[in-house]
Amino acid sequence: MAEDLSNSPRKASDYRRWFLKGVVASASIPALILMSAFVGFAGLAREAGITLPQAVFMTGMVWALPAKVVLIGAIISGSSLPAAAFAVALSSVRLTPMVVSLVPEMKTERTRPWVLYLLSHFVAVTSWVLAMEHLRTVPRDMRTVYYGGLGGTLVVTNMIVVTVMYAVAGSLPPVLSAALLMLTPIYFLTSLWGSARESAGHFAMIFGLVLGPLFHVVLPGFDLLAAGVIGGAAAYLVHRMRKGRGAAT
Amino acid sequence: MTFDAFDAWWWPYLFILVGGWLATDAWRFLGVYLGGRLRDDTDALVLVRALATALVAAVIGNLIVFPSGALAAAPLALRLLSAAAGFGAYLLVRKSVVVGILTAEAVLIAGLYAIGFNGG
């Protein structure tokens, strides 16, 4: 019953080779789009009054872009730390099922748990999509190394992008400066719509888009939480009702 | 307890650690812990995804309607038109994010030049 996957013991050069293959796999169209989103994030962070080291720190520590945009939104609207943490946590629950589906792809009987915990930090939409696409072509015992190369490169590259763009953003002419700040909303407007798996996601987006600015006026400081909870719950109910009706006919 | 509540250099970093890192990596670590024991299409997860999507959409709405910096000086109508054009182009051209971004930016930049925008 023992499935011995590695008849030949792996050499250090094998690890290095597959790590580098992961690094190379990070050069892709999704990664380019992600970089443009981080260009926008740098401008956004600067306008929110966040310093360059703080913006780079945030990029490395939080990584997931929606979570960072929510965190900056909370900072701009003057939320307290508990409210900000709650909003960010609420926006990031979907990381759990993403990691849950990725772990069995990478795990072998010999994988040490701390390696998986460390690698899970790299999970965000882009690296997850690339990993799910490429991992099946990688020998099973090389998959953690490969994902380390892929995810690590994406994080470090975008930390550099944020550093450079933050420095440049201050000296842009007004039109380009405005265009830079439009990048983040339009990136999410399109990518969020595309990633919705069921109608609930589309309704949630429409409700959130309208309720966010509305609660910004009515409930400053709690606008994001209120819009997220009310908009999300309403979208879920609409989804349930539509599903119920569909099943009845 | 807001981001600029204390004047200490470490406070913003602590804010980012607790409000950002802990609030995201806790979910990733939970994912590793649960391993393959969670199905992706349960009703609870549909609700969770809906809440997260509405929350991020609320931020997007605010970034368009109540932006900061130079974008705040651009007319609201132009910001809305740019976003609508980008989203429309995205839907029309095979749901391409690149096409959506380029269209929205082209409309915004053309509009800003047309009104002689100078950031004021």
Side-chain angles (χ1 to χ4, degrees):
Chain A
M1 86 170 242
E3 255 185 78
D4 199 347
L5 292 153
S6 52
N7 294 323
S8 55
R10 293 291 189 176
K11 294 189 296 266
S13 63
D14 290 326
Y15 289 100
R16 204 160 48 233
R17 192 159 55 90
W18 283 103
F19 181 84
L20 285 177
K21 285 196 178 195
V23 171
V24 170
S26 73
S28 59
I29 295 289
L32 271 181
I33 296 172
L34 182 68
M35 277 168 73
S36 80
F38 270 93
V39 167
F41 167 77
L44 187 66
R46 194 189 178 101
E47 287 306 331
I50 289 158
T51 66
L52 171 59
Q54 289 163 8
V56 175
F57 181 71
M58 200 186 277
T59 304
M61 293 309 289
V62 181
W63 181 227
L65 198 54
K68 280 204 296 294
V69 171
V70 169
L71 183 58
I72 289 199
I75 289 171
I76 292 175
S77 67
S79 303
S80 70
L81 178 53
F86 192 64
V88 172
L90 203 58
S91 77
S92 308
V93 188
R94 67 200 166 75
L95 291 170
T96 301
M98 286 165 75
V99 174
V100 164
S101 59
L102 187 62
V103 163
E105 297 278 319
M106 299 198 295
K107 204 164 152 185
T108 69
E109 280 166 18
R110 277 191 250 156
T111 310
R112 277 155 296 186
W114 69 265
V115 173
L116 293 173
Y117 281 101
L118 189 73
L119 288 177
S120 76
H121 180 69
F122 296 146
V123 172
V125 175
T126 303
S127 78
W128 184 79
V129 167
L130 289 174
M132 293 307 256
E133 194 181 319
H134 293 302
L135 274 184
R136 67 198 66 192
T137 66
V138 178
R140 182 160 274 278
D141 60 336
M142 288 290 125
R143 288 180 181 178
T144 48
V145 180
Y146 181 88
Y147 188 64
L150 173 66
T153 307
L154 284 174
V155 174
V156 172
T157 306
N158 284 298
M159 286 170 81
I160 296 169
V161 168
V162 169
T163 307
V164 172
M165 282 316 294
Y166 189 100
V168 171
S171 52
L172 290 177
V175 170
L176 284 186
S177 187
L180 176 65
L181 290 170
M182 195 67 192
L183 264 180
T184 304
I186 191 65
Y187 170 78
F188 277 111
L189 204 54
T190 50
S191 65
L192 206 57
W193 188 270
S195 69
R197 236 176 284 169
E198 56 270 314
S199 65
H202 291 151
F203 284 111
M205 231 186 103
I206 295 164
F207 293 158
L209 281 172
V210 175
L211 290 178
L214 184 70
F215 285 130
H216 185 84
V217 178
V218 187
L219 273 175
F222 291 96
D223 46 349
L224 301 181
L225 282 181
V229 171
I230 297 173
Y236 175 74
L237 289 178
V238 171
H239 169 80
R240 284 296 299 267
M241 275 158 54
R242 282 165 54 106
K243 214 170 116 188
R245 212 175 44 213
T249 51
Chain B
M1 290 268 276
T2 58
F3 189 69
D4 35 36
F6 304 103
D7 215 9
W9 70 268
W10 47 264
W11 170 249
Y13 291 94
L14 186 66
F15 193 100
I16 292 168
L17 267 184
V18 176
W21 171 74
L22 191 64
T24 48
D25 264 6
W27 295 118
R28 295 185 176 107
F29 294 166
L30 179 67
V32 176
Y33 176 75
L34 290 176
R37 277 171 277 173
L38 198 65
R39 281 185 52 204
D40 204 20
D41 57 348
T42 59
D43 241 21
L45 281 178
V46 174
L47 174 62
V48 157
R49 276 201 294 269
L51 290 175
T53 304
L55 190 74
V56 176
V59 180
I60 305 314
N62 283 346
L63 288 178
I64 296 171
V65 180
F66 303 105
S68 49
L71 191 59
L76 174 63
L78 181 57
R79 284 181 255 137
L80 293 176
L81 180 70
S82 156
F87 188 67
Y90 160 81
L91 288 183
L92 283 177
V93 185
R94 295 178 293 114
K95 297 208 170 173
S96 159
V97 176
V98 179
V99 169
I101 291 176
L102 291 181
T103 306
E105 293 291 359
V107 169
L108 179 69
I109 291 173
L112 290 176
Y113 273 118
I115 60 169
F117 185 72
N118 58 15

